Amino acid sequence: MPHHTPLIGTIVAGLVVAFIMGAIAHRLRLSPLVGYLVAGIIVGPFTPGIVANSGLANELAEIGVILLMFGVGLHFSLRDLLSVRNIAVPGAIGQIAVATLMGMGLAHFMGWPLMGGLVFGLALSVASTVVLLRALQGADLVETRRGRIAVGWLIVEDLMMVLALVLLPALAGVMNNTDASGGAGALLAPLFGTLLKVAGFVALMLVVGRRVIPWALHWVVQSGSRELFRLAVLAIALGVAFGAAVAFDVSFALGAFFAGMILGETPLSRRATEETLPLRDAFAVLFFVSVGMLFNPSVLVEQPLPLLATVAIIIVGKSIAAFAIVRAFGHPGDTALTIAASLAQIGEFSFILASLGTGLGVLPAEARDLILAGAIVSILLNPLIFSAVVRGHKPEEEEKAPEKPLMGHVILVGYGRVGKLIATRLAERNVHFVLMEGDADRAEEAEEAGFSVVRGSALEDRHLLAAGINEARRLLIAVPEGFEGGAIHDHARRLNPDLQVIARAHSDAEVAHLEGLGVPHVVMGERELAARMLALCGAA
């Protein structure tokens, strides 16, 4: 790698190799996380070939952690948590406690220090949001009660890990000074000091942040600049995280989480999510690559039994604990099995904890390698475990499906700004239509408006069939991405060759792409605006 461009080289190597390995993982129907971690192993110092700058990778990973936690805060739903609080709160806390104790037991057997065992156990106790949601979505369980319990359970786990990230540095300081004089008061002073700083930061965010952040964003929106809005959201995420670390000496993670949570309460939360998603995804990929760079593959050969024990804690021990807790609270067996299977993996927070533990000097390198290896193995196995458990178990409650559509109905894909207008006009004209929407919030909004909704992607045949694609007369593709619209067109026409398709495009290239696929009617916003303005001025 050229010595004069280490930053550019690290970013390029990380993203290019991550893309290749992520694409391979997707092709093999595995989580892209596996591909990103493998990419990190490839460009890491423990394998031959390209070696990225690990120091710079860790700096970029810090930005990835901030944006990851900002995203967690944006999607934090107190309503979802409260709806299942009676099982999710005690269940998640109990499962974390059991898994942490099992991890500490293995750490004690390996001869690691107490704090190392605590970090190791916590890392094994928390599941990956990405993997869990993908499993639930693949089985159409997100909107069922057992799906909501799993999501609520995960929210509690995330909150517990945020608390752990805040307290671990203080706890490490206490444990490292156990031999110092001054008694218990002197040892516990850093811990209480941290709690006071956290309380001060939280109070400031709740009192000042809840007023300043929404006001600033609304001001930016009124400016009409999309670029400035995107910059404002990123400035809030990074600025609050950095300010929390500098002014209150708390973690980047906590600052970013609270910034996202406060922003998530505003009406602009969805737009903020959409505008920052590409950058958040890019830095999240770099974060997973940097984690993979830390992994030494020799652990697979040198410590096979500890690795087997680690995987057993993640997949077997944690799942048994979750199953027993859910059953103890009186829920049916299929719910308990679903929760147990969905939690039988680890991911993002595990990596953050591992990085923090090694940075504090309390987690041995071999423990970090076991966490990373356990994550890769569990993410690989989780789809198989989940499908085997869920297959044959009918949900305890069936979601209300749309009424059987009439022959010759219309299918509308997308409930964004354009889709809402189309749906409203179709309803006013008494046209029978079925709406397809994959975003849960938008789908719920459409259901509240009284429309017949199929939740799911129009790129999946089962969702198209649920919308009655075989009996439909027209398909209106209102999603903003023309290339995605072309893929939807191909799927739909394969199921119903006689379907009349009308698609939306944003550029001449998208128009050409859709017309090349045989879409008979393509509507481009700029062309329609120009035609309408010319018509109004009498020049048409």
Side-chain angles (χ1 to χ4, degrees):
M1 181 177 295
H3 67 277
H4 57 282
T5 58
L7 177 61
I8 296 175
T10 299
I11 294 175
V12 170
L15 293 180
V16 170
V17 180
F19 165 72
I20 295 172
M21 301 311 299
I24 293 174
H26 178 75
R27 187 72 176 175
L28 297 175
R29 298 185 179 275
L30 300 173
S31 171
L33 293 185
V34 176
Y36 306 151
L37 292 170
V38 172
I41 297 173
I42 292 174
V43 301
F46 301 105
T47 55
I50 300 175
V51 178
N53 188 304
S54 58
L56 288 174
N58 289 333
E59 291 286 339
L60 294 171
E62 287 288 355
I63 300 178
V65 170
I66 292 173
L67 295 179
L68 270 173
M69 294 303 300
F70 180 68
V72 172
L74 273 175
H75 292 96
F76 174 77
S77 175
L78 185 60
R79 181 185 61 181
D80 290 344
L81 176 58
L82 292 177
S83 67
V84 293
R85 62 185 182 279
N86 293 334
I87 175 62
V89 175
I93 294 174
Q95 177 250 297
I96 288 174
V98 172
T100 301
L101 289 174
M102 288 190 290
M104 292 179 71
L106 178 58
H108 178 73
F109 178 79
M110 297 289 292
W112 301 336
L114 179 62
M115 274 300 298
L118 176 62
V119 175
F120 182 71
L122 285 172
L124 301 187
S125 70
V126 59
S128 164
T129 304
V130 175
V131 177
L132 182 141
L133 288 178
R134 177 170 177 169
L136 293 176
Q137 289 168 352
D140 285 334
L141 293 176
V142 174
E143 299 305 321
T144 63
R145 177 160 178 77
R146 52 180 173 171
R148 287 190 289 269
I149 292 174
V151 172
W153 195 296
L154 195 66
I155 290 173
V156 178
E157 285 193 349
D158 289 350
L159 290 175
M160 294 293 291
M161 292 307 111
V162 170
L163 182 62
L165 292 175
V166 171
L167 296 180
L168 275 178
L171 286 173
V174 170
M175 297 301 294
N176 290 335
N177 290 298
T178 52
D179 296 330
S181 60
L187 297 178
L188 295 177
L191 183 59
F192 287 114
T194 298
L195 290 175
L196 287 175
K197 291 175 182 177
V198 171
F201 169 72
V202 171
L204 180 66
M205 290 298 292
L206 293 178
V207 175
V208 179
R210 293 182 70 174
R211 292 173 172 81
V212 174
I213 291 176
W215 172 83
L217 282 180
H218 281 290
W219 180 85
V220 172
V221 168
Q222 291 174 2
S223 72
S225 173
R226 183 175 181 180
E227 177 183 342
L228 195 59
F229 179 83
R230 186 181 299 119
L231 183 61
V233 175
L234 292 174
I236 289 170
L238 297 173
V240 172
F242 187 78
V246 172
F248 292 91
D249 197 27
V250 299
S251 67
F252 288 138
L254 181 67
F257 175 79
F258 263 90
M261 187 175 69
I262 289 175
L263 185 54
E265 295 178 353
T266 70
L268 298 170
S269 61
R270 180 179 297 167
R271 182 177 173 186
T273 301
E274 294 173 350
E275 294 289 349
T276 60
L277 186 60
L279 190 63
R280 287 194 289 120
D281 283 347
F283 276 99
V285 168
L286 290 175
F287 165 69
F288 292 121
V289 170
S290 70
V291 170
M293 291 176 64
L294 299 173
F295 177 62
N296 187 351
S298 64
V299 69
L300 302 174
V301 177
E302 296 174 358
Q303 301 190 66
L305 293 180
L307 175 58
L308 184 62
T310 300
V311 173
I313 292 173
I314 298 170
I315 295 179
V316 180
K318 195 164 65 165
S319 298
I320 292 176
F323 179 87
I325 292 171
V326 175
R327 290 293 287 159
F329 275 81
H331 291 272
D334 59 352
T335 299
L337 284 172
T338 300
I339 305 301
S342 61
L343 298 174
Q345 38 79 19
I346 59 174
E348 308 91 83
F349 270 110
S350 305
F351 305 145
I352 297 173
L353 285 167
S355 298
L356 177 63
T358 53
L360 294 172
V362 297
L363 186 70
E366 57 267 32
R368 179 195 61 204
D369 291 339
L370 288 176
I371 292 171
L372 300 181
I376 294 173
V377 173
S378 65
I379 292 173
L380 283 170
L381 294 179
N382 188 256
L384 301 176
I385 296 171
F386 193 86
S387 61
V389 167
V390 174
R391 187 187 301 119
H393 290 275
K394 187 176 180 180
E396 69 274 9
E397 79 283 335
E398 294 292 338
E399 294 301 311
K400 183 180 179 181
E403 295 178 0
K404 182 66 176 179
L406 301 175
M407 294 296 293
H409 66 289
V410 174
I411 296 177
L412 171 62
V413 180
Y415 196 64
R417 289 179 297 176
V418 174
K420 288 180 183 178
L421 294 173
I422 295 174
T424 301
R425 298 294 185 273
L426 290 175
E428 290 174 351
R429 298 174 184 179
N430 294 319
V431 176
H432 185 77
F433 71 96
V434 175
L435 174 68
M436 298 189 67
E437 176 57 63
D439 182 84
D441 292 336
R442 289 177 179 170
E444 183 176 352
E445 184 180 350
E447 289 173 342
E448 291 175 352
F451 301 136
S452 180
V453 180
V454 170
R455 298 188 179 218
S457 171
L459 291 172
E460 296 189 32
D461 292 351
R462 57 197 174 96
H463 295 143
L464 287 170
L465 293 172
I469 190 68
N470 293 327
E471 298 84 13
R473 176 169 50 97
R474 288 193 179 94
L475 175 69
L476 306 181
I477 305 175
V479 296
E481 293 82 10
F483 295 103
E484 181 184 351
I488 293 172
H489 163 267
D490 285 349
H491 278 269
R493 287 294 294 272
R494 179 167 48 82
L495 296 172
N496 184 351
D498 299 325
L499 192 67
Q500 299 178 28
V501 180
I502 302 172
R504 172 187 174 191
H506 260 312
S507 65
D508 292 331
E510 291 182 355
V511 172
H513 175 72
L514 291 168
E515 290 178 344
L517 292 175
V519 179
H521 304 288
V522 181
V523 180
M524 180 180 170
E526 288 79 1
R527 293 180 182 178
E528 297 301 319
L529 285 170
R532 178 60 176 161
M533 293 177 74
L534 288 171
L536 289 173
C537 74

